[in-house]
Amino acid sequence: MADDEHEVNGDSDEPQQKADDSSQKKSAKHDSGAADLERVTDYAEEKEIYSADEFKGAMSLIGDRRNKEVAEKMAKERELAKVSISKEDVDLIVRELEVGRSHAERTLREHSGDVVQALISLTN
């Protein structure tokens, strides 16, 4: 009898059930969209972390190369410093070719003190 009263008065549970169903569908659709968005943001964050790791690796590699080059240059400078050169040869190169004293000394050291080879190198 109570059911008859609701139907007679125009109160039916059907519109309310339809509203509940549509709100559940919207909620499910919203939850699905939120899950998709979360997957996309997770992917973007992982990619960002991976890129940062690659960048750190590249910077480390560049730093290692630079350190190696500096070490090689220092070793070469030490080897050149060991080569003995005569002051007269340096003066000759400075006077004849009008180059700086440090440049003349370095060229002589690079050619193991051989003044002829140093002069040829500086004139070419």
Side-chain angles (χ1 to χ4, degrees):
M1 186 158 140
D3 288 337
D4 290 337
E5 274 184 33
H6 285 296
E7 287 183 32
V8 173
N9 291 337
D11 291 340
S12 168
D13 287 340
E14 284 183 32
Q16 190 175 9
Q17 285 178 344
K18 286 183 182 178
D20 288 344
D21 288 345
S22 67
S23 68
Q24 285 177 350
K25 286 180 183 178
K26 286 181 183 177
S27 176
K29 191 174 186 179
H30 175 70
D31 290 343
S32 173
D36 290 342
L37 181 61
E38 189 172 325
R39 280 195 300 267
V40 168
T41 56
D42 287 347
Y43 173 75
E45 288 172 356
E46 288 173 6
K47 193 168 184 171
E48 202 172 281
I49 290 169
Y50 179 72
S51 294
D53 290 342
E54 278 186 346
F55 180 74
K56 287 177 186 175
M59 290 302 293
S60 175
L61 184 64
I62 290 169
D64 292 346
R65 281 187 188 164
R66 185 176 296 142
N67 291 340
K68 183 179 177 184
E69 289 172 1
V70 168
E72 288 174 356
K73 187 175 180 180
M74 293 297 288
K76 184 177 180 180
E77 291 297 323
R78 277 188 242 117
E79 289 297 317
L80 288 176
K82 291 178 184 178
V83 175
S84 63
I85 55 174
S86 81
K87 184 179 178 190
E88 292 82 24
D89 291 343
V90 174
D91 290 337
L92 174 71
I93 293 173
V94 169
R95 187 175 59 247
E96 294 298 322
L97 298 180
E98 298 178 359
V99 296
R101 186 166 202 79
S102 62
H103 187 59
E105 287 178 4
R106 180 163 179 86
T107 305
L108 262 173
R109 289 182 194 281
E110 287 174 349
H111 292 91
S112 303
D114 185 358
V115 72
V116 174
Q117 289 300 317
L119 286 167
I120 292 170
S121 171
L122 287 169
T123 56
N124 288 337

